[in-house]
Amino acid sequence: MTDSDDFLADSAAVFGEAPADDDKIRYGPLVLTVAPKEGKANTLLADHLFSPSLLVAELIERGIISVADKRVVELGAGCALPSLLSATRSDPPSLVVITDYPDDAIMKNLSANVERNRLYFNARCAVHACGYEWGRDVSPLLDIAQAHEPNDRAFDVVIMSDLLHFDRSHDVLLQSLLALLRRDPSARAYVAAGRYTPPHVCEHFARKAAGAGIVLEEEEVEAVWNGTLEVSGGGLDKGQLGVRKGMSRWWIGRWRDT
């Protein structure tokens, strides 16, 4: 894995990852903060909103990523923009489970984002925030899914935004994906990465996923921002959003044998 300081410096300089101009990021009704730049939040890059999360959020806003009536889990969520935005839709998921590394600073910020925006969530969507380390027992997450739908102990959608650069964690990340994603033709994994993540690193994860039965198909990205909700904070404007979107890649994952 690239050293986090080098990673941040490189992405900021080359890909326009501007630092926040205040401590809040606004997307539609949502008001979000990132974790403080200290400890695990710094090491795991939870202290920044990277471009792939903006791409996934725009795809959810536009309905290109369908979440209606689905059970959604996000891994390594950071400030949780994609999953929180999905909970505000007029056709929301039935369940959103937002996870990140079980560090006090990371989880305190994540929980604050959930509670600050709870009034904007669709009443038909249940939202939970949980600490979870990739590769660990997923039973607590599956318990939430089963409590919501007793006859089905799994998730219809798994969101993984900007996680592939942790190349030494590919095995445990994939292990979690395999354990969480429902084995059904309609189940989907949505994976996004910045172009600062070397292509061979993305290809390495795709090969491992294919070997385990999940096929990742890369989709095109147009470097034009097509979302209609207002976005501000973090040095973002319409032009900058398009640039940052264009510096991202994304894949749709499906079970090969279903």
Side-chain angles (χ1 to χ4, degrees):
M1 182 179 70
T2 305
D3 177 81
S4 62
D5 290 337
D6 290 342
F7 177 84
L8 286 169
D10 290 347
S11 64
V14 179
F15 297 104
E17 303 285 356
D21 49 15
D22 60 23
D23 63 348
K24 293 182 174 62
I25 299 156
R26 298 168 176 82
Y27 193 121
L30 298 175
V31 179
L32 305 174
T33 57
V34 297
K37 190 178 178 66
E38 59 186 39
K40 281 290 186 180
N42 185 28
T43 305
L44 299 176
L45 309 179
D47 58 342
H48 207 86
L49 175 64
F50 287 98
S51 299
S53 290
L54 290 165
L55 168 64
V56 176
E58 192 230 45
L59 293 169
I60 289 171
E61 178 192 346
R62 296 168 61 202
I64 293 173
I65 290 179
S66 175
V67 295
D69 298 319
K70 300 184 186 299
R71 285 159 298 164
V72 176
V73 61
E74 182 172 5
L75 298 176
C79 69
L81 171 58
S83 46
L84 289 178
L85 185 67
S86 72
T88 70
R89 287 184 56 88
S90 60
D91 54 347
S94 59
L95 172 68
V96 170
V97 178
I98 308 164
T99 74
D100 210 333
Y101 187 84
D103 168 81
D104 287 346
I106 292 174
M107 291 309 301
K108 182 178 179 180
N109 182 73
L110 178 55
S111 297
N113 281 341
V114 172
E115 294 310 316
R116 185 187 308 112
N117 294 286
R118 190 172 289 280
L119 72 162
Y120 303 119
F121 300 161
N122 192 303
R124 302 198 309 275
C125 181
V127 178
H128 300 262
C130 306
Y132 174 70
E133 182 178 356
W134 309 334
R136 300 292 186 179
D137 182 13
V138 299
S139 293
L141 305 181
L142 298 179
D143 288 345
I144 297 172
Q146 188 172 33
H148 189 75
E149 180 59 57
N151 296 323
D152 198 348
R153 186 176 165 85
F155 290 89
D156 307 296
V157 171
V158 178
I159 296 173
M160 297 164 45
S161 176
D162 210 23
L163 307 183
L164 299 190
H165 55 263
F166 294 108
D167 55 343
R168 295 178 185 174
S169 297
H170 282 184
D171 287 342
V172 292
L173 184 58
L174 180 58
Q175 180 181 333
S176 296
L177 172 60
L178 295 171
L180 292 167
L181 189 65
R182 184 162 60 95
R183 278 194 170 269
D184 186 90
S186 65
R188 295 288 182 269
Y190 296 106
V191 181
R195 293 191 180 275
Y196 39 75
T197 301
H200 73 273
V201 172
C202 298
E203 291 160 8
H204 176 262
F205 184 82
R207 286 195 304 271
K208 280 189 168 291
I214 293 181
V215 177
L216 294 176
E217 298 179 356
E218 186 167 7
E219 303 295 313
E220 293 186 6
V221 175
E222 181 185 11
V224 176
W225 188 258
N226 294 310
T228 58
L229 294 175
E230 183 177 353
V231 183
S232 63
L236 297 171
D237 57 29
K238 194 83 169 180
Q240 182 72 355
L241 287 166
V243 170
R244 293 184 63 171
K245 176 185 171 185
M247 294 301 176
S248 303
R249 306 170 65 186
W250 76 292
W251 297 258
I252 300 175
R254 301 173 175 85
W255 289 107
R256 181 171 50 217
D257 57 352
T258 56

